[in-house]
Amino acid sequence: MPRLPPAERCRDLPPACFAPVMATGIVARALNEAHAVTVGKALFVAAALLHTALLAGLAVKAVRHTDRLLAELRDPARAFGHFTLVAACGVLAARLGAGQLRAVAYGLLVLAAAAWAVIAAHVVAGLRRALRSALPRADGTWFLAVVGLQSIGLAFVAVDPRPLPVAVSLVLWAGGVLLYVTVLAAVAWRLGCHPPGPQLLTPAYWVTMGAVAISTLCGTQLAVHTEALPGPVTGLVTAAVTVLWGWATLLVPPLIAAGAWRHLRHRVRSGGEPALWCIVFPLGMYTTATARLAAARGYAFLSDAVQPMAWTALAAWLVITASRLRARWSADRTRRRGGRSVRTASHQLRTSARSRAVASGASTGKWWLPRSTSTMSKRSP
């Protein structure tokens, strides 16, 4: 069973393949907030390299396997995963916007905006076609649309903090908050009317907290540009940011309890599932949003909590990275064993066929002849 060529392997890139990039990038920023600059830079470089490789793979998939990509975008159950591309571009652009690579940040921002528009158009079309069947399957991945939109606003204000871009970011932030409320209503209806079992209660529901955390961060970044926003608007954004941070904090205990119910009570094994990245991103984003809120409002008790929260996010990143690498290694080993098993089984079949032929000949006294030939020679005159 030879390994497929790279062009064919790109066909099987999952819709949410950019989740490790967005998770790694935001954990790097959280570590910067905790003054662990060296580790943060290393993680950011890793995120940038992985992002480049995945972009190349997605480009091959779009060119060579267009039908597969379009089928994913038309399916509401898989289309929301593609918003991880938008979030990954936004997270990297926000970090690069303040440095010397601002041109790269602009390119990522343009890519993020174009990708969000295309994906959102397909999602809306898919929901219009099959809203009745899609609503009972609404889950945490739906909040990735909010994460993508808020990441664009966050990157926009980081790359170009002039009054007009800040105003555009404000509109995107407000739209993201309204979209969050809409998606939250849909997911809450699904949980109430069609509660998922332990197998379906995946870590993707952590994006519920990650989406409100990035809304908090984007609003905090907007509130500091008092020269670009009128006073009443700044006050409204500041109050909304505090409420959003409180809601994100309230979501953490139920999410932990849901994970304990799934894994401890019902013994569901994660097995290195890709959805585990949905835990890392909210942890890193919540840490970053807390650090920015503490700096903007002067909350010393929150500033003291940033460092342990950042190291917790890094620990989760390390555990899940090791889990994913182990799952990949196990899959490759199983594939190699499967190839050897197929070859071994084929060899055993050929050997047993020869053995039966020899045994048939030996029973007639002529081991070099098969049974039918030996029997015919006995009966012939």
Side-chain angles (χ1 to χ4, degrees), residues 15-16 21 26 79 87 115 174 201 208 221-222 248 254 256 262 323 331 336:
V21 178
I26 198 58
L201 197 65
T208 308
Q221 297 296 93
L222 286 171
I256 295 177
R262 184 183 189 232
S323 176
R336 290 193 297 267

Side-chain angles (χ1 to χ4, degrees), residues 106-161:
Y106 271 114
L108 290 173
L109 182 57
V110 171
L111 176 60
W116 193 92
V118 172
I119 298 168
H122 282 88
V123 167
V124 171
L127 290 178
R128 290 181 62 183
R129 287 194 304 267
L131 182 61
R132 290 181 178 272
S133 60
L135 274 180
R137 295 181 295 168
D139 57 10
T141 60
W142 287 35
F143 289 100
L144 289 171
V146 180
V147 173
L149 187 59
Q150 296 288 23
S151 68
I152 296 173
L154 185 64
F156 209 175
V157 74
V159 171
D160 194 350

Side-chain angles (χ1 to χ4, degrees), residues 236-273:
L236 181 61
V237 172
T238 303
V241 161
T242 306
V243 173
L244 290 172
W245 182 87
W247 174 243
T249 305
L250 290 175
L251 286 174
V252 175
L255 291 170
I256 295 177
W261 176 78
R262 184 183 189 232
H263 296 292
L264 301 180
R265 174 88 180 266
H266 294 277
R267 306 292 182 182
V268 177
R269 300 183 61 183
S270 62
E273 55 186 342

Side-chain angles (χ1 to χ4, degrees), residues 34-57:
H35 307 292
V37 179
T38 303
V39 184
K41 286 183 178 179
L43 281 185
F44 181 79
V45 171
L49 293 176
L50 180 59
H51 186 69
T52 303
L54 288 174
L55 277 181

Side-chain angles (χ1 to χ4, degrees), residues 269-277 319-320 322-328:
R269 300 183 61 183
S270 62
E273 55 186 342
L276 289 172
W277 290 112
V319 169
I320 292 173
S323 176
R324 293 293 301 137
L325 291 176
R326 181 181 179 183
R328 179 65 180 270

Side-chain angles (χ1 to χ4, degrees), residues 223-375:
V224 299
H225 294 283
T226 55
E227 73 285 352
L229 299 176
V233 175
T234 304
L236 181 61
V237 172
T238 303
V241 161
T242 306
V243 173
L244 290 172
W245 182 87
W247 174 243
T249 305
L250 290 175
L251 286 174
V252 175
L255 291 170
I256 295 177
W261 176 78
R262 184 183 189 232
H263 296 292
L264 301 180
R265 174 88 180 266
H266 294 277
R267 306 292 182 182
V268 177
R269 300 183 61 183
S270 62
E273 55 186 342
L276 289 172
W277 290 112
C278 295
I279 299 177
V280 181
F281 176 79
L283 290 177
M285 185 57 71
Y286 180 74
T287 302
T288 307
T290 302
R292 291 292 88 207
L293 180 64
R297 303 298 298 272
Y299 294 152
F301 69 97
L302 289 181
S303 299
D304 296 336
V306 169
Q307 192 165 11
M309 289 166 59
W311 291 112
T312 301
L314 177 62
W317 184 89
L318 291 172
V319 169
I320 292 173
T321 300
S323 176
R324 293 293 301 137
L325 291 176
R326 181 181 179 183
R328 179 65 180 270
W329 178 75
S330 299
D332 289 344
R333 185 176 61 176
T334 302
R335 180 186 59 82
R336 290 193 297 267
R337 284 182 176 179
R340 289 195 297 266
S341 299
V342 169
R343 291 191 295 268
T344 302
S346 178
H347 175 72
Q348 289 176 348
L349 286 174
R350 292 193 299 268
T351 304
S352 60
R354 287 195 297 266
S355 300
R356 286 194 299 270
V358 170
S360 301
S363 64
T364 61
K366 298 180 180 179
W367 58 268
W368 64 87
L369 294 176
R371 181 186 298 273
S372 58
T373 307
S374 303
T375 305

Side-chain angles (χ1 to χ4, degrees), residues 48-253:
L49 293 176
L50 180 59
H51 186 69
T52 303
L54 288 174
L55 277 181
L58 183 62
V60 173
K61 182 178 180 178
V63 173
R64 297 284 299 272
H65 310 286
T66 309
D67 294 340
R68 175 68 174 266
L69 183 60
L70 291 177
E72 292 174 355
L73 291 173
R74 291 167 184 154
D75 183 4
R78 296 182 291 171
F80 284 96
H82 285 284
F83 283 111
T84 58
L85 166 63
V86 182
C89 291
V91 168
L92 296 181
R95 174 68 181 275
L96 295 173
Q100 299 178 352
L101 298 176
R102 183 167 294 182
V104 179
Y106 271 114
L108 290 173
L109 182 57
V110 171
L111 176 60
W116 193 92
V118 172
I119 298 168
H122 282 88
V123 167
V124 171
L127 290 178
R128 290 181 62 183
R129 287 194 304 267
L131 182 61
R132 290 181 178 272
S133 60
L135 274 180
R137 295 181 295 168
D139 57 10
T141 60
W142 287 35
F143 289 100
L144 289 171
V146 180
V147 173
L149 187 59
Q150 296 288 23
S151 68
I152 296 173
L154 185 64
F156 209 175
V157 74
V159 171
D160 194 350
R162 292 179 298 175
L164 181 58
V166 170
V168 174
S169 298
L170 178 64
V171 173
L172 294 176
W173 173 79
V177 173
L178 293 177
L179 181 60
Y180 179 86
V181 174
T182 304
V183 175
L184 182 63
V187 174
W189 178 85
R190 183 265 169 98
L191 293 176
C193 299
H194 304 277
Q199 296 291 342
L200 296 180
L201 197 65
T202 64
Y205 283 94
W206 276 83
V207 188
T208 308
M209 190 269 281
V212 71
I214 193 174
S215 300
T216 303
L217 178 60
C218 185
T220 304
Q221 297 296 93
L222 286 171
V224 299
H225 294 283
T226 55
E227 73 285 352
L229 299 176
V233 175
T234 304
L236 181 61
V237 172
T238 303
V241 161
T242 306
V243 173
L244 290 172
W245 182 87
W247 174 243
T249 305
L250 290 175
L251 286 174
V252 175

